[in-house]
Amino acid sequence: MGETTPQIDFDIDYSTNLSLHNWVQQLNLWCVPSFKLGLLGSMYFAGWAFTVIWVPLLADKVGRKWWFTGSVIIVFFTMIGFILSPSLLISIILMFVAGAMNSGRVMVGFVYGQEFLVPYWQVIFGTAFHFIDNSTC
């Protein structure tokens, strides 16, 4: 006789503080088509690709301070939007906005920060900047 895998019945107890409440429940991702899940992940990079050329160029012409500050503020509110987002479509749009602001936050912010330092500290700052930025993701 062949062996069968036993079925394990379980229910998640959301009343405890140890339960994981994530996007699967919040955005009802159980039966979402796979292309929509792919959009959620790829729109960040699409937003970044959309702004990667023209945001640094405009920051060079207009000034880096306002592009950097504006990008950080917009990303802050975008992250709050992720927490409060009730739908997948809104989350996809927010992911695009977060990616678009990455050009101002990371690329312009890095150059803006380097302008204030002497060459010795630029190496240390650059390493710390990218280490901290990549660790917080």
Side-chain angles (χ1 to χ4, degrees):
M1 290 206 235
E3 282 191 41
T4 60
T5 305
Q7 296 295 323
I8 300 172
D9 292 325
F10 69 92
D11 290 322
I12 299 172
D13 182 13
Y14 289 112
S15 64
T16 70
N17 62 350
L18 301 174
S19 295
L20 177 64
H21 298 274
N22 58 18
W23 282 356
V24 174
Q25 292 88 16
Q26 184 176 344
L27 302 177
N28 196 18
L29 298 178
W30 285 287
C31 297
V32 171
S34 60
F35 79 92
K36 287 186 179 181
L37 285 176
L39 275 176
L40 186 62
S42 64
M43 289 309 277
Y44 183 83
F45 300 105
W48 197 353
F50 178 70
T51 60
V52 74
I53 298 294
W54 58 271
V55 166
L57 289 174
L58 284 176
D60 286 344
K61 292 180 189 235
V62 177
R64 293 183 182 92
K65 178 181 178 181
W66 299 113
W67 281 98
F68 173 69
T69 306
S71 297
V72 170
I73 291 169
I74 291 171
V75 166
F76 174 77
F77 288 111
T78 302
M79 296 303 159
I80 291 173
F82 279 131
I83 295 169
L84 302 175
S85 175
S87 75
L88 181 60
L89 179 62
I90 292 172
S91 295
I92 290 171
I93 293 168
L94 289 172
M95 192 66 80
F96 181 84
V97 172
M101 293 301 107
N102 210 32
S103 294
R105 186 180 62 82
V106 175
M107 299 173 72
V108 174
F110 176 74
V111 174
Y112 182 56
Q114 293 280 19
E115 290 177 343
F116 295 105
L117 302 170
V118 296
Y120 173 78
W121 287 104
Q122 287 177 350
V123 174
I124 295 169
F125 169 78
T127 303
F129 180 88
H130 290 298
F131 178 78
I132 292 168
D133 180 57
N134 290 317
S135 297
T136 58
C137 291

